[in-house]
Amino acid sequence: MFKRILLASDGSEHAAKATEKAVQLAQLTEYTFIQDIYAIEGDSRLKSLSRDEERESRIHTTDEILKQGNVEYEITFMHGDAAKTVIQFANQNSFDLVVIGSRGLNPVKGMLLGSVSSKIAQQVTIPVLIVK
């Protein structure tokens, strides 16, 4: 089934639900790997990729779900626009599926500019599962 799953996280409630679904899918097949990416918007020259307290608290739930699911995983922090970062990472690496929550932490931006999940679904070259 799915051997390599790309999970896009932002620490939101919908991201936690997406994480639960990714774990369920990973448990269906032996040796499935989940790559969780957390896109940090902003200028990378001004902010470091170190895990500060805010990032830690946001990603804590995702990390706990992955640990409890007993699946192989890695969490990676990247700088850039969330949609563009996920799209580029998904299209340049060998994944079987992208899993993402339907809503993120910034609903106002989503209404004005379009949701991250819909942009990803339209522009990646592999299947996308959007979790409500």
Side-chain angles (χ1 to χ4, degrees):
M1 189 142 199
F2 303 113
K3 291 293 199 182
R4 290 182 45 84
I5 297 172
L6 177 61
L7 174 65
S9 294
D10 65 359
S12 67
E13 179 182 332
H14 284 91
K17 291 178 182 179
T19 304
E20 291 169 355
K21 185 56 70 176
V23 167
Q24 290 172 356
L25 291 170
Q27 290 172 337
L28 295 174
T29 308
E30 284 187 295
Y31 310 114
T32 297
F33 175 74
I34 298 175
Q35 175 68 61
D36 181 21
I37 65 169
Y38 185 96
I40 303 163
E41 294 195 31
D43 189 339
S44 61
R45 293 171 296 181
L46 300 176
K47 299 177 183 177
S48 74
L49 283 174
S50 65
R51 294 183 176 193
D52 63 16
E53 289 179 25
E54 181 182 348
R55 289 187 197 123
E56 283 290 332
S57 65
R58 284 188 187 168
I59 206 69
H60 178 75
T61 301
T62 299
D63 189 43
E64 285 301 311
I65 294 167
L66 290 165
K67 280 180 187 173
Q68 290 175 5
N70 198 29
V71 295
E72 185 181 351
Y73 72 95
E74 179 181 331
I75 298 175
T76 302
F77 292 88
M78 303 177 82
H79 276 287
D81 175 77
K84 289 179 184 176
T85 301
V86 173
I87 291 163
Q88 184 177 17
F89 196 81
N91 288 339
Q92 291 180 350
N93 293 281
S94 299
F95 292 100
D96 302 309
L97 177 70
V98 175
V99 179
I100 187 167
S102 62
R103 297 257 188 255
L105 288 172
N106 194 340
V108 174
K109 183 179 175 185
M111 287 182 354
L112 296 174
L113 302 175
S115 74
V116 170
S117 57
S118 66
K119 289 177 185 177
I120 291 169
Q122 292 172 11
Q123 295 181 41
V124 297
T125 58
I126 58 174
V128 176
L129 174 61
I130 300 174
V131 181
K132 286 183 159 188

